[in-house]
């Protein structure tokens, strides 16, 4: 059944797919910079921030652990965005709890990684008084429950609620005129010079809606690679989905640890970080996330949402990158290790016990909210950075992983500036005094990544 919308509601200058923190930030900047730009924000759910943007650790990550060469864009986007989020939170009383993070070394070998982190912290623009290297006794004096060989203490890591941030920006974007097309999933899509036609299906009653736009932004998170493939783009890439699970830690033990405790990643080329002990913005403590291989971006329980989904996921094209991984013994043993920590609470607890020995499985009685990370792979394995793919009149953002929520304000400005540089918004007039400036958000400062 086709739903007829008035003509003026079906044609837009820009259609943005994805109502997560990235799509909302892009829609926000566009509506702020161009008063006369008509924008549709298309989202499969009826509200924004229903997936990864609310289902994460909730940390503003400072970029000490990001290699400035291999993860340059993520490092620079998080550094710039830290100040943007901080000023916004301060002006509008949004949640902002600077609790700090210890990233700990579990062995003398890992202590060497801390020296890299110290260099990267400076290279990525952190102030010298924001971080400190501590030996095991230094850590013990501040966090008596933690056992390690040393740590970097990043003092400005901050707990926030990214769902709250996304909804806040969404309200601003809506006031600027962005039209929310919620509850519709992109089913088909076609692109020709200067025009995109998006065919949507309602998740509620199956009705069909057509939208056309002069330009399209694909910020669909775990759904973005499927959209590029529908357009015949990014065919060298495919993706895998890893569910990150959490367990809440009971009091009175929980409050004995006052900062986030992360451990240095052992397998840097894979998306398997060991679970951390984290402080939530609510003040609650949790352990997690692990990284359990599942078959879709929305599999919050079990292995797949639908029957046979796992088979179609395994055999979707291109096959090469997956074949390489699934014949790699290290990868397979890590996958099993992560699954074990999903099936067994004791196995999950044991991973954190390595550095918080007094944590007991009896303190873990309720699961936290799981989220799914979507990692893009090609023939060289896991891709370390976000990927931008341009179509004839579209841009697609793939592999937008952690610290993607931290970096969203600057990264989204960077995407919009790319659209402007390529002449896709040439017919629109810039607003002389964008409202973002009243919040201290200066577009030109944010875009230089
Ligand atoms: C376990 C975990 C912990 C994390 N912790 C942190 C952290 O502490 N700090 C940090 O900075 N980052 C963290 N991240 C990363 C961060 O959460 C993500 O980088 C960020 O939320 C991605 O935002 P997004 O808008 O791209 O994706 P999403 O929030 O997933 O939004 C994409 C949207 O697109 C919609 N969509 C998908 N397909 C379609 C379709 N076909 N049609 C219509 N709509 C569609 C979806 O419904 C979804 O709402 C974490 C991620 C995970 C998984």
């Amino acid at each position: 059944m086709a739903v007829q919308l008035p003509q003026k509601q079906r044609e837009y200058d820009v259609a943005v797919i994805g109502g997560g923190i990235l799509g909302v930030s892009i829609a926000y900047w566009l509506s702020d910079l161009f008063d006369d730009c008509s924008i549709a924000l298309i989202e499969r759910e009826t509200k924004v921030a229903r997936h990864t943007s609310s289902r994460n650790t909730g940390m503003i990550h400072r970029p000490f652990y990001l290699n400035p060469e291999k993860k340059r864009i993520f490092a620079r986007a998080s550094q710039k965005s830290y100040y943007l989020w901080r000023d916004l939170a301060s002006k509008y009383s949004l949640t902002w709890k600077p609790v700090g993070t210890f990233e700990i070394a579990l062995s003398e070998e890992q202590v060497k990684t801390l020296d890299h982190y110290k260099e990267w912290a400076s290279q990525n623009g952190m102030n010298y008084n924001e971080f400190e290297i501590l030996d095991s006794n230094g850590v013990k004096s501040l966090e008596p429950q933690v056992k390690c060989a040393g740590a970097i203490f990043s003092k400005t890591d901050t707990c926030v609620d990214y769902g709250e941030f996304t909804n806040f920006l969404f309200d601003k974007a809506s006031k600027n005129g962005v039209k929310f097309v919620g509850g519709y999933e992109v089913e088909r899509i076609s692109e020709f010079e200067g025009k995109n036609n998006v065919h949507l299906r309602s998740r509620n009653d199956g009705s069909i809606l057509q939208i056309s736009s002069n330009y399209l932004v694909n910020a669909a998170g775990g759904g973005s690679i499927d959209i590029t493939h529908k357009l015949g783009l990014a065919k060298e890439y495919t993706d895998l989905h890893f569910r990150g699970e959490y367990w809440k830690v009971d009091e009175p033990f929980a409050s004995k640890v006052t900062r986030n405790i992360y451990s240095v990643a052992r397998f840097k080329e894979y998306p398997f970080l060991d679970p951390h002990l984290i402080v939530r913005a609510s003040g609650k403590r949790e352990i997690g996330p692990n990284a359990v291989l599942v078959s879709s971006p929305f599999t919050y329980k079990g292995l797949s949402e639908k029957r046979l989904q796992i088979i179609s996921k395994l055999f979707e094209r291109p096959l090469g990158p997956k074949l390489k991984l699934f014949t790699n013994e290290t990868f397979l043993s890590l996958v099993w290790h992560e699954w074990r920590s999903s099936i067994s609470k004791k196995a999950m607890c044991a991973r954190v016990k390595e550095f918080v020995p007094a944590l007991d499985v009896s303190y873990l009685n309720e699961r936290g909210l799981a989220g799914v990370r979507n990692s893009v792979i090609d023939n060289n394995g896991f891709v370390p950075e976000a990927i931008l793919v341009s179509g004839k009149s579209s841009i697609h953002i793939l592999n937008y992983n952690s610290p993607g929520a931290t970096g969203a304000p600057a990264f989204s400005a960077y995407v919009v500036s790319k659209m402007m540089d390529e002449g896709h918004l040439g017919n629109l007039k810039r607003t002389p005094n964008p409202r973002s400036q009243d919040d201290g958000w200066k577009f030109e400062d944010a875009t230089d990544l």
Side-chain angles (χ1 to χ4, degrees), residues 130-394:
E130 285 186 279
F131 56 91
E132 190 180 351
I133 299 283
L134 297 168
D135 63 13
S136 56
N137 289 331
V139 175
K140 249 233 154 15
S141 68
L142 291 169
E143 287 292 349
Q145 298 296 328
V146 176
K147 186 184 107 190
C148 63
I152 185 165
F153 179 20
S154 173
K155 299 173 189 174
T156 41
D157 274 40
T158 301
C159 306
V160 297
D161 177 346
Y162 285 116
E164 183 188 38
F165 279 2
T166 309
N167 275 289
F168 184 81
L169 283 186
F170 174 68
D171 284 347
K172 281 191 173 258
S174 302
K175 283 187 191 127
N176 290 345
V178 171
K179 165 95 172 101
F180 183 58
V181 184
Y184 283 90
E185 185 155 14
V186 174
E187 195 176 59
R188 287 204 305 274
I189 187 160
S190 55
E191 181 182 45
F192 34 96
E193 213 63 61
K195 208 83 181 158
N196 291 276
N197 281 334
V198 188
H199 182 101
L200 301 164
R201 184 177 292 277
S202 162
R203 303 231 309 138
N204 178 25
D205 58 7
S207 59
I208 303 293
L209 189 63
Q210 298 274 4
I211 278 186
S212 69
S213 66
N214 297 332
Y215 196 77
L216 177 94
V217 181
N218 169 8
S224 59
I225 205 159
D226 294 342
I227 292 171
T228 54
H229 287 173
K230 283 182 210 287
L231 287 172
L233 298 167
K235 283 181 165 169
E236 67 276 37
Y237 298 118
T238 182
D239 61 358
L240 291 174
H241 311 291
F242 296 93
R243 181 174 62 231
E245 301 162 334
Y246 300 85
W247 281 94
K248 297 183 181 177
V249 183
D250 286 349
E251 294 293 357
F253 183 78
S255 300
K256 290 187 179 166
V257 181
T258 55
R259 301 169 182 89
N260 302 300
I261 316 293
Y262 283 56
S263 58
V264 168
R266 276 181 271 207
F267 298 91
K268 294 190 178 61
E269 64 277 35
Y270 298 110
F272 303 112
L273 303 174
D274 280 311
H276 337 297
L277 196 154
I278 55 157
V279 181
R280 287 279 181 197
S282 63
K284 298 249 162 64
R285 311 308 195 246
E286 293 186 17
I287 63 164
N290 51 3
V292 182
L293 186 64
V294 292
S295 61
S296 89
F298 313 111
T299 305
Y300 297 119
K301 271 190 202 153
L303 185 60
S304 47
E305 285 168 288
K306 300 177 198 145
R307 273 181 64 218
L308 302 182
Q309 193 176 39
I310 187 76
I311 308 286
S312 55
K313 182 70 203 165
L314 277 175
F315 290 101
E316 81 187 350
R317 282 165 192 276
L319 275 174
K322 265 183 227 146
L323 269 177
K324 266 195 171 171
L325 268 182
F326 285 99
T327 48
N328 171 334
E329 273 183 33
T330 311
F331 176 73
L332 289 178
S333 85
L334 289 169
V335 166
W336 165 238
H337 188 58
E338 297 292 332
W339 257 104
R340 231 166 65 82
S341 71
S342 175
I343 299 160
S344 154
K345 180 165 65 171
K346 208 169 161 199
M348 179 86 155
C349 180
R351 296 176 72 178
V352 180
K353 248 174 128 52
E354 264 192 78
F355 51 91
V356 184
L359 179 74
D360 192 86
V361 71
S362 64
Y363 308 152
L364 309 175
N365 289 306
E366 198 186 334
R367 280 187 184 270
L369 196 64
V372 178
R373 179 182 301 129
N374 307 290
S375 298
V376 170
I377 51 173
D378 63 11
N379 275 328
N380 299 315
F382 288 93
V383 180
E385 272 275 27
I387 305 165
L388 292 183
V389 177
S390 294
K392 291 192 193 87
S393 51
S394 60

Side-chain angles (χ1 to χ4, degrees), residues 51-117:
H51 293 289
T52 323
S53 298
S54 285
R55 292 168 164 272
N56 52 44
T57 303
M59 207 57 60
I60 296 274
H61 289 299
R62 305 295 287 122
F64 66 88
Y65 67 101
L66 296 170
N67 182 325
E69 279 162 26
K70 287 191 184 146
K71 298 221 170 193
R72 179 174 161 272
I73 300 278
F74 273 135
R76 293 175 66 106
S78 9
Q79 174 65 7
K80 283 184 186 262
S81 299
Y82 168 71
Y83 297 101
L84 301 178
W85 286 132
R86 189 192 63 181
D87 294 350
L88 201 72
S90 158
K91 182 167 177 188
Y92 295 99
S93 305
L94 304 174
T95 310
W96 186 264
K97 298 206 169 132
V99 299
T101 294
F102 280 111
E103 178 123 356
I104 58 161
L106 290 167
S107 62
E108 286 308 323
E109 186 56 31
Q110 284 192 346
V111 171
K112 290 184 202 143
T113 307
L114 301 180
D115 292 331
H116 290 305
Y117 286 173

